[in-house]
Amino acid sequence: MTMWLSLIFLVLLFAIAYCQATHGLYSALIMTVLTLCSAAVAVGMHEWIATEAIAPYWKPDYAHSLGMGLSFGILLLLLRLVFDKTIHRSC
């Protein structure tokens, strides 16, 4: 099972890298900065999300990993949507 999960993540990593490479350097730079900011915020707030929002209501064994993943993913998605609306591409 672990091997398949690793293979899926590796394919996903290459697919994301390909998409970033085709969108250009400026877009990839913005995504890098947004990813670093999202990771910093997620590390800072995942424990509170895990203990206060997830663990009391649903599977405490997975609370910390879900708190980290959800806080990172949701924040990155929201930041990317805001930046895509704010900074228009010149195509």
Side-chain angles (χ1 to χ4, degrees):
M1 178 65 181
T2 305
M3 182 183 73
W4 287 108
L5 191 59
S6 297
L7 184 64
I8 290 170
F9 282 133
L10 188 63
V11 168
L12 185 63
L13 176 75
F14 285 132
I16 292 170
Y18 176 76
C19 287
Q20 290 298 320
T22 58
H23 282 102
L25 181 64
Y26 190 62
S27 178
L29 179 65
I30 290 173
M31 192 65 178
T32 302
V33 171
L34 294 179
T35 300
L36 290 174
C37 292
S38 296
V41 171
V43 167
M45 66 186 277
H46 86 279
E47 190 168 349
W48 180 84
I49 291 173
T51 57
E52 300 295 326
I54 298 174
Y57 306 108
W58 191 77
K59 299 200 185 214
D61 294 338
Y62 302 118
H64 286 280
S65 58
L66 278 174
M68 178 74 81
L70 288 175
S71 61
F72 173 78
I74 291 171
L75 184 62
L76 182 62
L77 178 69
L78 290 175
L79 285 173
R80 186 63 193 201
L81 289 174
V82 167
F83 271 75
D84 282 345
K85 295 287 183 191
T86 306
I87 302 171
H88 299 289
R89 294 182 186 184
S90 58
C91 295

